[in-house]
Amino acid sequence: MSAWVEDVLGAGYEQRTLDLGSDPDGEGEVVATLVRATPPTTPKRAFLWVHGFTDYFFQTELADFFTERGYAFYALDLRKCGRSTRPGQTPHYVSDLALYDAELDEALRIVREETGEIEVLLGAHSTGGLIVPLWLSRLNATPGGSREAGIVGIVLDGPWFDLQGAAWMRSIGTQVIRAVAQVRPLERLKLPPGDAYGSSLHVSAAGEWDYDLTWKPITGFPVTYGWLNAVRRGHAILHRGLDIGVPSLVLRSNRTRFARKHGPDTDVSDAVLDVKQIARWAGCLGDAVTSLPIPGARHDVFLSQAEARAAAYAAVDRWLGYAGLT
């Protein structure tokens, strides 16, 4: 376990490496990276953020939002993602989403230890929005549950609740994914190239956000059969119903517009996931679920254009008040 050192984001941010030991998927030693922002003088709660696929934490505006409301802000770069990438490893690859429990457990332990056991609100985007509820449901099944672990709620941003695309991909396609994953887990799916979403975000193209393109390429990382099979197993568990034990806020765009190349529609819709599926499966989280469309939002609602982004943050503010978490 390393000490806190200055983060790549510079002043006001520190990072700490979490050593996780040998990779169960055979790609050497794996680590995760916990990032923290300079906290309020006396934080009343903590917020822990988890990114999605082809992603890592760089959203300082999100950190500012929560620190301004008295939260100690933390973010976790999962194994083989962003700051946690190591040479020779397949970016974002895991054969089972439950492997992430190790870094999530450790991150929660550190956050609570550092903040004097104050309550923790979770947040997650896209694939992280599947990973974290699955972990939380397993945690809630232990003695005391998620509440006794100090968790009081979760904010999900464009969570990946089902496989997008044609219906046959969720039936026959899933069987093919499973079969290939058993014999060639690291084989890449042959998907048509596209830069629509990445170009809508990054300053080098049509976006306003500056981030490391090594860790978040504009065209995304390749998708492997083994990783997608792990995601599909996670989807199946979610669809049977979870019990996360705490209230949730699920934010999504109000429409989907798939495209390979960037255009005006990419900036005001979800270019990655089917938002109807997010709406359909949100109720499977259990406990009290608030599911809201944000007009004109992108896939990452908190990286939307200014008007939609402001609407998303206003929705979070209202929900925090409703949930008694202000």
Side-chain angles (χ1 to χ4, degrees):
M1 191 72 63
S2 68
W4 290 103
V5 298
E6 185 176 5
D7 185 60
V8 295
L9 293 173
Y13 291 89
E14 294 179 310
Q15 64 166 267
R16 179 174 176 178
T17 301
L18 312 182
D19 297 311
L20 302 174
S22 296
D23 180 17
D25 292 319
E27 293 192 328
E29 298 294 304
V30 286
V31 302
T33 310
L34 188 62
V35 180
R36 69 180 179 186
T38 301
T41 303
T42 307
K44 53 188 176 183
R45 290 183 186 85
F47 182 81
L48 175 60
W49 175 256
V50 179
H51 59 83
F53 180 69
T54 303
D55 203 1
Y56 73 101
F57 171 67
F58 63 91
Q59 297 91 334
T60 56
E61 184 180 78
L62 181 69
D64 291 343
F65 175 86
F66 280 99
T67 55
E68 288 167 2
R69 284 153 183 77
Y71 282 72
F73 183 91
Y74 294 80
L76 181 65
D77 277 14
L78 301 166
R79 64 185 69 193
K80 305 182 191 177
C81 305
R83 299 165 178 81
S84 307
T85 304
R86 296 296 182 267
Q89 296 179 345
T90 306
H92 292 257
Y93 181 79
V94 289
S95 60
D96 189 336
L97 300 184
L99 293 175
Y100 291 126
D101 287 10
E103 51 256 57
L104 289 164
D105 287 342
E106 181 63 4
L108 178 63
R109 185 194 68 78
I110 292 171
V111 169
R112 298 215 73 210
E113 179 182 83
E114 286 204 340
T115 58
E117 304 295 315
I118 61 177
E119 297 173 333
V120 179
L121 176 65
L122 302 173
H125 168 58
S126 197
T127 311
L130 174 65
I131 292 165
V132 176
L134 291 171
W135 165 68
L136 193 51
S137 186
R138 288 188 288 269
L139 182 63
N140 195 47
T142 62
S146 50
R147 289 277 189 173
E148 193 165 306
I151 298 168
V152 290
I154 185 169
V155 176
L156 297 180
D157 166 13
W160 194 9
F161 284 167
D162 205 351
L163 188 63
Q164 61 274 41
W168 66 266
M169 281 296 297
R170 290 181 288 282
S171 54
I172 298 171
T174 298
Q175 297 305 315
V176 172
I177 291 166
R178 182 174 301 142
V180 176
Q182 290 178 345
V183 294
R184 297 191 301 276
L186 293 178
E187 182 171 326
R188 300 174 178 182
L189 274 72
K190 295 178 175 61
L191 300 173
D195 65 357
Y197 181 57
S199 293
S200 75
L201 299 180
H202 199 261
V203 291
S204 66
E208 62 180 287
W209 307 100
D210 192 8
Y211 49 81
D212 191 328
L213 292 176
T214 304
W215 292 342
K216 186 177 174 62
I218 284 182
T219 56
F221 286 116
V223 174
T224 60
Y225 281 93
W227 175 83
L228 189 54
N229 185 49
V231 169
R232 290 303 286 154
R233 290 202 306 270
H235 287 156
I237 296 170
L238 169 73
H239 297 170
R240 290 195 292 270
L242 304 180
D243 181 11
I244 64 174
V246 294
S248 57
L249 172 63
V250 181
L251 301 176
R252 65 185 188 277
S253 178
N254 64 322
R255 67 173 187 152
T256 291
R257 175 69 169 86
F258 295 127
R260 296 182 189 178
K261 292 296 181 182
H262 176 262
D265 280 351
T266 315
D267 290 323
V268 293
S269 56
D270 192 323
V272 179
L273 298 181
D274 185 342
V275 296
K276 292 180 180 178
Q277 294 173 341
I278 299 175
R280 176 184 180 185
W281 297 112
C284 289
L285 295 171
D287 209 280
V289 180
T290 302
S291 180
L292 295 176
I294 303 296
R298 292 188 175 113
H299 171 52
D300 189 330
V301 172
F302 296 124
L303 296 183
S304 299
Q305 293 182 322
E307 184 176 353
R309 199 161 77 240
Y313 281 120
V316 175
D317 258 337
R318 290 192 299 271
W319 180 79
L320 290 175
Y322 172 78
L325 299 174
T326 54

